[in-house]
Amino acid sequence: MKKHTRTWGIRACAALLLALATLSTSAQILIGQTAGMTGPTAAPLNEANSGAQLVIDAANAKGGINGEKIEMVRIDDAFDAQRAGENARVLIEDRKVVALFLSRGTPNTQAMIPWLDKYGVALIGPSTGAMALYKPLQKHVFNVRATYQSEAEKAVQHLVTIGLTRIVVVHAADSFGKDALAGAVTGFDKARQKPAAVVAADREKPDYASIVPKITGADAQAVLWFGASQVVADGVKALRAAGSAAQVVTLSNNASSGFIKQLGDASSGVIVTQVFPNEHLIGQPMVHEALALAQAKGQTELSPATLEGFAAAKVLVEALRRAGPKPTRAKVLAALETMHDYDLGGLEVHYSPQSHAGIDFADLSIISQGKFKR
């Protein structure tokens, strides 16, 4: 009799522990992320993640969303598109995430779309401004930032305005690089100019020994360099080593403190386009909020990449809030498509079933002595 009693007691305890574990699991909202936490884009990506975590931690500290805390499930894809697609499958099929968040890279994000479409999962705030994610409409992709094409067009406009007309374009030989090139071409057309040369470069391992002579051979006054942060940083160093003083402009995918560190002594005078307000403008509501949360964690400074992650996470948290208790994939999707007027803090997001475009904002920032300056 005692044996049966003891056995029943063990089973009861096991059942209780299982019930508690189930309750704990059900009290969390799982959000998935696949991105290059290692590899050529790790520096800006990890800064963006730190900005996103400020918002997520603040929401969780207040009891979560409708009593449920947000748990991030992150998988490294090392900036490899094939791995990104497989990671998306794992997150959606196996981990049962409610939404995906803050992917990195154009080919990587495109590799995720078939899984988003198959299961009706929203991807919020991909860290890429590729036009392919804006037009035609991708039903499950909700952009927060502006497009690369608008950045590249503005960069050309700036260079021509200050009298630089011998401009070489170096672009990654992938969908990101070609997309940015299209924006630059629009800029050249509007300025009634043509690039001095257009050079396609390997996405991860460019041949600088052949690229740099094409730049110097064109007597370039400026170079638009569209690529990952480490790739562009190494390219700038190779260009300076060859004696070229050409102005270098790159896009907001490289707007991070990590990019400055990668540039080292070659950072002075490099221009980076921006898609969020200056991180030093503390009078700007979103910047003020982000800085306050960062300082509460002992962080003294923000970076452009930090703000991108922060803005994307604001959209994520608001979508979960609007989705109501026990958010499902369908509820999150519906909440996003009715988010017509969400104020991030001086910048508004407007989504509808017809448009998932991000914030229409573009600016320029010059790297000088290791700091971003307007």
Side-chain angles (χ1 to χ4, degrees):
M1 188 68 172
K2 290 182 178 180
K3 181 178 180 181
H4 289 300
T5 302
R6 186 163 54 252
T7 301
W8 180 87
I10 292 171
R11 288 176 178 171
C13 287
L16 179 60
L17 289 172
L18 179 61
L20 290 173
T22 302
L23 180 63
S24 174
T25 301
S26 65
Q28 294 175 332
I29 303 170
L30 297 183
I31 304 298
Q33 181 189 24
T34 172
M37 291 133 199
T38 61
T41 64
L45 184 277
N46 291 329
E47 287 178 35
N49 276 350
S50 71
Q53 204 62 44
L54 291 175
V55 179
I56 293 167
D57 288 348
N60 286 341
K62 294 178 181 178
I65 310 299
N66 297 309
E68 298 176 282
K69 293 193 175 182
I70 303 168
E71 179 183 340
M72 291 298 307
V73 183
R74 294 186 169 103
I75 306 179
D76 181 20
D77 60 38
F79 202 52
D80 179 87
Q82 185 174 351
R83 285 177 61 179
E86 174 59 15
N87 288 352
R89 183 199 66 77
V90 170
L91 289 164
I92 293 170
E93 287 189 343
D94 300 342
R95 299 304 303 272
K96 310 296 184 185
V97 299
V98 171
L100 291 180
F101 175 69
L102 205 63
S103 58
R104 182 82 182 188
T106 303
N108 303 52
T109 302
Q110 289 174 314
M112 299 164 60
I113 290 175
W115 300 107
L116 304 178
D117 293 344
K118 181 177 181 179
Y119 290 98
V121 178
L123 167 62
I124 300 170
S127 186
T128 166
M131 187 60 72
L133 302 178
Y134 295 72
K135 293 180 181 180
L137 176 74
Q138 295 291 343
K139 179 175 174 55
H140 299 101
V141 178
F142 291 83
N143 301 287
V144 176
R145 45 156 296 140
T147 66
Y148 289 137
Q149 289 195 16
S150 65
E151 293 184 60
E153 180 182 337
K154 189 176 182 74
V156 173
Q157 176 189 359
H158 167 76
L159 292 173
V160 173
T161 298
I162 63 174
L164 305 182
T165 55
R166 294 193 304 278
I167 305 169
V168 172
V169 180
V170 180
H171 68 91
D174 63 5
S175 53
F176 156 68
K178 293 174 184 176
D179 185 72
L181 174 62
V185 168
T186 299
F188 283 116
D189 288 344
K190 287 184 176 181
R192 298 183 179 180
Q193 299 285 336
K194 291 191 177 297
V198 175
V199 183
D202 185 86
R203 185 187 194 210
E204 296 181 12
K205 297 179 180 179
D207 182 6
Y208 299 112
S210 64
I211 294 171
V212 171
K214 292 175 183 176
I215 298 171
T216 56
D219 193 22
Q221 296 171 306
V223 181
L224 295 174
W225 206 311
F226 308 140
S229 62
Q230 189 64 65
V231 166
V232 176
D234 290 343
V236 173
K237 292 175 184 177
L239 189 62
R240 299 297 182 240
S244 173
Q247 176 74 70
V248 176
V249 184
T250 190
L251 300 185
S252 64
N253 62 302
N254 296 328
S256 71
S257 298
F259 177 55
I260 294 175
K261 292 177 182 176
Q262 289 167 338
L263 282 168
D265 294 339
S267 66
S268 182
V270 174
I271 292 179
V272 182
T273 56
Q274 302 290 289
V275 290
F276 291 99
N278 187 336
E279 66 277 14
H280 300 295
L281 295 176
I282 59 175
Q284 207 277 341
M286 186 177 74
V287 176
H288 179 78
E289 181 187 4
L291 185 59
L293 290 175
Q295 289 176 337
K297 285 191 167 188
Q299 302 171 23
T300 58
E301 290 188 349
L302 303 174
S303 74
T306 306
L307 284 180
E308 179 169 357
F310 186 86
K314 293 259 300 181
V315 174
L316 167 67
V317 168
E318 180 65 12
L320 293 175
R321 186 189 68 78
R322 296 189 185 199
K326 306 296 180 187
T328 63
R329 293 168 176 176
K331 287 180 179 179
V332 171
L333 192 63
L336 285 162
E337 290 204 323
T338 55
M339 194 181 290
H340 305 311
D341 55 354
Y342 180 50
D343 184 2
L344 297 172
L347 298 172
E348 289 190 350
V349 169
H350 300 276
Y351 297 137
S352 72
Q354 293 76 39
S355 175
H356 297 172
I359 301 163
D360 186 15
F361 181 91
D363 202 357
L364 295 172
S365 179
I366 297 175
I367 298 177
S368 179
Q369 299 177 347
K371 298 281 187 180
F372 285 102
K373 296 182 179 181
R374 293 298 191 279

Short mmCIF file of all heavy atoms in Angstrom, two decimals, residues 162-207:
data_model
loop_
_atom_site.label_atom_id
_atom_site.label_comp_id
_atom_site.label_asym_id
_atom_site.label_seq_id
_atom_site.Cartn_x
_atom_site.Cartn_y
_atom_site.Cartn_z
N ILE A 162 27.58 69.39 -54.18
CA ILE A 162 28.83 70.00 -53.69
C ILE A 162 29.92 70.00 -54.76
O ILE A 162 31.09 70.26 -54.47
CB ILE A 162 29.33 69.31 -52.41
CG1 ILE A 162 29.68 67.82 -52.66
CG2 ILE A 162 28.31 69.43 -51.29
CD1 ILE A 162 30.31 67.13 -51.45
N GLY A 163 29.53 69.67 -56.00
CA GLY A 163 30.44 69.82 -57.12
C GLY A 163 31.26 68.61 -57.49
O GLY A 163 32.18 68.70 -58.30
N LEU A 164 30.93 67.44 -56.94
CA LEU A 164 31.67 66.21 -57.28
C LEU A 164 30.90 65.47 -58.36
O LEU A 164 29.76 65.03 -58.14
CB LEU A 164 31.83 65.33 -56.04
CG LEU A 164 32.51 66.00 -54.83
CD1 LEU A 164 32.66 65.00 -53.68
CD2 LEU A 164 33.87 66.57 -55.21
N THR A 165 31.50 65.31 -59.52
CA THR A 165 30.80 64.69 -60.64
C THR A 165 31.47 63.40 -61.13
O THR A 165 30.82 62.60 -61.81
CB THR A 165 30.70 65.66 -61.82
OG1 THR A 165 32.02 66.14 -62.18
CG2 THR A 165 29.83 66.86 -61.44
N ARG A 166 32.74 63.21 -60.81
CA ARG A 166 33.41 61.95 -61.19
C ARG A 166 33.19 60.96 -60.04
O ARG A 166 33.99 60.86 -59.10
CB ARG A 166 34.90 62.18 -61.45
CG ARG A 166 35.18 63.07 -62.67
CD ARG A 166 36.64 63.03 -63.10
NE ARG A 166 37.55 63.40 -62.03
CZ ARG A 166 37.86 64.64 -61.66
NH1 ARG A 166 37.30 65.68 -62.30
NH2 ARG A 166 38.71 64.89 -60.69
N ILE A 167 32.08 60.25 -60.14
CA ILE A 167 31.64 59.38 -59.05
C ILE A 167 31.63 57.93 -59.54
O ILE A 167 31.01 57.60 -60.55
CB ILE A 167 30.21 59.76 -58.59
CG1 ILE A 167 30.16 61.24 -58.20
CG2 ILE A 167 29.77 58.88 -57.43
CD1 ILE A 167 28.76 61.76 -57.98
N VAL A 168 32.34 57.07 -58.81
CA VAL A 168 32.37 55.63 -59.11
C VAL A 168 31.43 54.91 -58.15
O VAL A 168 31.35 55.24 -56.97
CB VAL A 168 33.80 55.07 -58.96
CG1 VAL A 168 33.80 53.54 -59.07
CG2 VAL A 168 34.72 55.67 -60.02
N VAL A 169 30.69 53.93 -58.67
CA VAL A 169 29.81 53.11 -57.85
C VAL A 169 30.40 51.71 -57.73
O VAL A 169 30.65 51.05 -58.74
CB VAL A 169 28.39 53.03 -58.44
CG1 VAL A 169 27.49 52.17 -57.54
CG2 VAL A 169 27.80 54.41 -58.62
N VAL A 170 30.64 51.26 -56.50
CA VAL A 170 31.05 49.89 -56.23
C VAL A 170 29.92 49.22 -55.47
O VAL A 170 29.50 49.73 -54.42
CB VAL A 170 32.35 49.83 -55.40
CG1 VAL A 170 32.75 48.37 -55.15
CG2 VAL A 170 33.48 50.59 -56.08
N HIS A 171 29.41 48.13 -55.99
CA HIS A 171 28.25 47.50 -55.34
C HIS A 171 28.44 45.99 -55.19
O HIS A 171 29.07 45.35 -56.04
CB HIS A 171 26.97 47.78 -56.13
CG HIS A 171 26.92 47.11 -57.48
ND1 HIS A 171 26.39 45.85 -57.67
CD2 HIS A 171 27.34 47.53 -58.70
CE1 HIS A 171 26.48 45.52 -58.95
NE2 HIS A 171 27.06 46.52 -59.59
N ALA A 172 27.90 45.46 -54.12
CA ALA A 172 27.92 44.01 -53.92
C ALA A 172 27.16 43.35 -55.06
O ALA A 172 26.11 43.84 -55.49
CB ALA A 172 27.27 43.66 -52.59
N ALA A 173 27.69 42.25 -55.54
CA ALA A 173 27.07 41.54 -56.66
C ALA A 173 25.96 40.63 -56.14
O ALA A 173 26.01 39.40 -56.28
CB ALA A 173 28.11 40.75 -57.44
N ASP A 174 24.97 41.23 -55.51
CA ASP A 174 23.81 40.49 -55.01
C ASP A 174 22.59 41.38 -55.11
O ASP A 174 22.65 42.50 -55.63
CB ASP A 174 24.04 40.01 -53.57
CG ASP A 174 24.22 41.15 -52.57
OD1 ASP A 174 24.07 42.33 -52.95
OD2 ASP A 174 24.50 40.86 -51.39
N SER A 175 21.46 40.92 -54.60
CA SER A 175 20.22 41.69 -54.74
C SER A 175 20.28 43.01 -53.99
O SER A 175 19.72 44.02 -54.44
CB SER A 175 19.03 40.86 -54.25
OG SER A 175 19.24 40.36 -52.95
N PHE A 176 20.98 43.05 -52.86
CA PHE A 176 21.16 44.31 -52.13
C PHE A 176 21.93 45.32 -52.96
O PHE A 176 21.51 46.46 -53.15
CB PHE A 176 21.88 44.06 -50.81
CG PHE A 176 22.61 45.26 -50.27
CD1 PHE A 176 21.91 46.37 -49.81
CD2 PHE A 176 24.00 45.31 -50.24
CE1 PHE A 176 22.57 47.49 -49.32
CE2 PHE A 176 24.67 46.41 -49.75
CZ PHE A 176 23.95 47.51 -49.30
N GLY A 177 23.08 44.90 -53.49
CA GLY A 177 23.92 45.80 -54.26
C GLY A 177 23.24 46.31 -55.51
O GLY A 177 23.33 47.51 -55.86
N LYS A 178 22.51 45.45 -56.20
CA LYS A 178 21.81 45.85 -57.42
C LYS A 178 20.67 46.80 -57.11
O LYS A 178 20.38 47.73 -57.88
CB LYS A 178 21.31 44.61 -58.15
CG LYS A 178 22.43 43.74 -58.70
CD LYS A 178 21.90 42.44 -59.28
CE LYS A 178 23.06 41.55 -59.73
NZ LYS A 178 22.57 40.23 -60.23
N ASP A 179 20.03 46.59 -55.97
CA ASP A 179 18.94 47.47 -55.55
C ASP A 179 19.47 48.87 -55.26
O ASP A 179 18.89 49.87 -55.70
CB ASP A 179 18.26 46.88 -54.32
CG ASP A 179 17.05 47.67 -53.89
OD1 ASP A 179 16.02 47.61 -54.58
OD2 ASP A 179 17.12 48.36 -52.86
N ALA A 180 20.55 48.94 -54.51
CA ALA A 180 21.16 50.24 -54.19
C ALA A 180 21.63 50.93 -55.47
O ALA A 180 21.49 52.15 -55.63
CB ALA A 180 22.32 50.05 -53.22
N LEU A 181 22.20 50.15 -56.40
CA LEU A 181 22.65 50.70 -57.68
C LEU A 181 21.49 51.34 -58.43
O LEU A 181 21.64 52.42 -59.02
CB LEU A 181 23.28 49.59 -58.53
CG LEU A 181 23.69 49.98 -59.95
CD1 LEU A 181 24.74 51.07 -59.96
CD2 LEU A 181 24.20 48.74 -60.71
N ALA A 182 20.32 50.72 -58.38
CA ALA A 182 19.14 51.28 -59.06
C ALA A 182 18.80 52.65 -58.50
O ALA A 182 18.44 53.57 -59.25
CB ALA A 182 17.95 50.33 -58.92
N GLY A 183 18.91 52.82 -57.19
CA GLY A 183 18.65 54.12 -56.58
C GLY A 183 19.67 55.16 -57.02
O GLY A 183 19.34 56.32 -57.28
N ALA A 184 20.94 54.73 -57.09
CA ALA A 184 21.99 55.64 -57.54
C ALA A 184 21.76 56.08 -58.98
O ALA A 184 21.94 57.26 -59.32
CB ALA A 184 23.36 54.97 -57.40
N VAL A 185 21.36 55.14 -59.82
CA VAL A 185 21.09 55.46 -61.23
C VAL A 185 19.99 56.51 -61.33
O VAL A 185 20.08 57.45 -62.13
CB VAL A 185 20.71 54.18 -62.01
CG1 VAL A 185 20.15 54.54 -63.38
CG2 VAL A 185 21.92 53.27 -62.15
N THR A 186 18.96 56.37 -60.50
CA THR A 186 17.89 57.39 -60.48
C THR A 186 18.46 58.75 -60.11
O THR A 186 18.11 59.78 -60.71
CB THR A 186 16.79 56.99 -59.48
OG1 THR A 186 16.22 55.75 -59.87
CG2 THR A 186 15.71 58.06 -59.41
N GLY A 187 19.36 58.76 -59.12
CA GLY A 187 20.00 60.00 -58.71
C GLY A 187 20.82 60.62 -59.82
O GLY A 187 20.77 61.84 -60.06
N PHE A 188 21.58 59.79 -60.53
CA PHE A 188 22.38 60.29 -61.66
C PHE A 188 21.48 60.84 -62.76
O PHE A 188 21.76 61.90 -63.34
CB PHE A 188 23.26 59.17 -62.22
CG PHE A 188 24.48 58.86 -61.40
CD1 PHE A 188 24.64 57.62 -60.80
CD2 PHE A 188 25.48 59.81 -61.24
CE1 PHE A 188 25.77 57.33 -60.05
CE2 PHE A 188 26.61 59.53 -60.49
CZ PHE A 188 26.76 58.28 -59.88
N ASP A 189 20.40 60.13 -63.06
CA ASP A 189 19.49 60.58 -64.11
C ASP A 189 18.88 61.93 -63.77
O ASP A 189 18.79 62.82 -64.63
CB ASP A 189 18.37 59.54 -64.32
CG ASP A 189 18.87 58.28 -65.00
OD1 ASP A 189 19.98 58.31 -65.57
OD2 ASP A 189 18.15 57.26 -64.96
N LYS A 190 18.46 62.10 -62.51
CA LYS A 190 17.85 63.36 -62.11
C LYS A 190 18.85 64.52 -62.15
O LYS A 190 18.49 65.66 -62.41
CB LYS A 190 17.26 63.23 -60.70
CG LYS A 190 15.99 62.39 -60.65
CD LYS A 190 15.39 62.37 -59.24
CE LYS A 190 14.08 61.61 -59.23
NZ LYS A 190 13.45 61.59 -57.88
N ALA A 191 20.13 64.18 -61.90
CA ALA A 191 21.17 65.20 -61.92
C ALA A 191 21.77 65.37 -63.32
O ALA A 191 22.67 66.19 -63.51
CB ALA A 191 22.28 64.82 -60.94
N ARG A 192 21.27 64.58 -64.27
CA ARG A 192 21.77 64.59 -65.65
C ARG A 192 23.28 64.32 -65.69
O ARG A 192 24.05 64.98 -66.38
CB ARG A 192 21.45 65.92 -66.33
CG ARG A 192 19.95 66.18 -66.46
CD ARG A 192 19.64 67.45 -67.21
NE ARG A 192 18.19 67.65 -67.34
CZ ARG A 192 17.61 68.67 -67.95
NH1 ARG A 192 18.38 69.61 -68.50
NH2 ARG A 192 16.31 68.77 -68.02
N GLN A 193 23.66 63.31 -64.91
CA GLN A 193 25.05 62.88 -64.84
C GLN A 193 25.11 61.38 -65.09
O GLN A 193 24.10 60.69 -65.09
CB GLN A 193 25.63 63.19 -63.45
CG GLN A 193 25.64 64.66 -63.07
CD GLN A 193 26.73 65.43 -63.80
OE1 GLN A 193 27.73 64.86 -64.23
NE2 GLN A 193 26.53 66.75 -63.93
N LYS A 194 26.33 60.89 -65.26
CA LYS A 194 26.55 59.45 -65.38
C LYS A 194 27.71 59.05 -64.48
O LYS A 194 28.64 59.85 -64.28
CB LYS A 194 26.86 59.06 -66.84
CG LYS A 194 25.65 59.21 -67.77
CD LYS A 194 25.91 58.58 -69.12
CE LYS A 194 24.68 58.67 -70.01
NZ LYS A 194 23.53 57.94 -69.47
N PRO A 195 27.69 57.85 -63.93
CA PRO A 195 28.81 57.42 -63.08
C PRO A 195 30.09 57.28 -63.90
O PRO A 195 30.05 56.93 -65.09
CB PRO A 195 28.34 56.05 -62.55
CG PRO A 195 27.31 55.58 -63.52
CD PRO A 195 26.64 56.81 -64.05
N ALA A 196 31.21 57.59 -63.26
CA ALA A 196 32.50 57.45 -63.94
C ALA A 196 32.83 55.99 -64.21
O ALA A 196 33.53 55.66 -65.16
CB ALA A 196 33.60 58.10 -63.10
N ALA A 197 32.33 55.11 -63.34
CA ALA A 197 32.49 53.67 -63.51
C ALA A 197 31.54 52.97 -62.55
O ALA A 197 31.19 53.52 -61.50
CB ALA A 197 33.93 53.23 -63.23
N VAL A 198 31.13 51.76 -62.92
CA VAL A 198 30.30 50.93 -62.05
C VAL A 198 31.01 49.59 -61.90
O VAL A 198 31.33 48.92 -62.90
CB VAL A 198 28.89 50.71 -62.61
CG1 VAL A 198 28.10 49.74 -61.73
CG2 VAL A 198 28.15 52.05 -62.74
N VAL A 199 31.30 49.21 -60.66
CA VAL A 199 32.09 48.01 -60.39
C VAL A 199 31.29 47.06 -59.50
O VAL A 199 30.88 47.43 -58.40
CB VAL A 199 33.42 48.36 -59.69
CG1 VAL A 199 34.27 47.11 -59.50
CG2 VAL A 199 34.17 49.43 -60.48
N ALA A 200 31.06 45.84 -59.97
CA ALA A 200 30.42 44.81 -59.16
C ALA A 200 31.49 44.08 -58.35
O ALA A 200 32.57 43.78 -58.87
CB ALA A 200 29.66 43.83 -60.04
N ALA A 201 31.19 43.80 -57.08
CA ALA A 201 32.18 43.16 -56.20
C ALA A 201 31.56 41.96 -55.50
O ALA A 201 30.36 41.96 -55.19
CB ALA A 201 32.67 44.16 -55.15
N ASP A 202 32.36 40.95 -55.26
CA ASP A 202 31.89 39.78 -54.52
C ASP A 202 31.31 40.21 -53.17
O ASP A 202 31.86 41.08 -52.50
CB ASP A 202 33.03 38.79 -54.30
CG ASP A 202 32.56 37.51 -53.63
OD1 ASP A 202 32.12 36.60 -54.34
OD2 ASP A 202 32.61 37.44 -52.39
N ARG A 203 30.22 39.60 -52.78
CA ARG A 203 29.50 40.00 -51.57
C ARG A 203 30.36 39.92 -50.31
O ARG A 203 30.32 40.80 -49.46
CB ARG A 203 28.27 39.12 -51.42
CG ARG A 203 27.36 39.50 -50.25
CD ARG A 203 26.27 38.47 -50.08
NE ARG A 203 25.21 38.96 -49.21
CZ ARG A 203 24.48 38.19 -48.45
NH1 ARG A 203 24.69 36.89 -48.40
NH2 ARG A 203 23.51 38.71 -47.70
N GLU A 204 31.16 38.87 -50.19
CA GLU A 204 31.91 38.63 -48.96
C GLU A 204 33.41 38.81 -49.12
O GLU A 204 34.09 39.22 -48.17
CB GLU A 204 31.61 37.23 -48.42
CG GLU A 204 30.14 37.05 -48.02
CD GLU A 204 29.87 35.66 -47.48
OE1 GLU A 204 30.85 34.93 -47.21
OE2 GLU A 204 28.70 35.30 -47.32
N LYS A 205 33.96 38.50 -50.30
CA LYS A 205 35.40 38.56 -50.50
C LYS A 205 35.74 39.32 -51.78
O LYS A 205 36.16 38.72 -52.78
CB LYS A 205 36.00 37.15 -50.52
CG LYS A 205 35.82 36.40 -49.20
CD LYS A 205 36.41 35.00 -49.28
CE LYS A 205 36.24 34.26 -47.96
NZ LYS A 205 36.79 32.88 -48.02
N PRO A 206 35.58 40.63 -51.77
CA PRO A 206 35.89 41.42 -52.97
C PRO A 206 37.37 41.36 -53.32
O PRO A 206 38.22 41.25 -52.42
CB PRO A 206 35.48 42.85 -52.57
CG PRO A 206 34.63 42.69 -51.36
CD PRO A 206 35.10 41.46 -50.67
N ASP A 207 37.67 41.47 -54.58
CA ASP A 207 39.05 41.51 -55.05
C ASP A 207 39.49 42.98 -55.12
O ASP A 207 39.39 43.63 -56.15
CB ASP A 207 39.15 40.85 -56.43
CG ASP A 207 40.58 40.83 -56.95
OD1 ASP A 207 41.51 41.21 -56.20
OD2 ASP A 207 40.78 40.44 -58.13
#
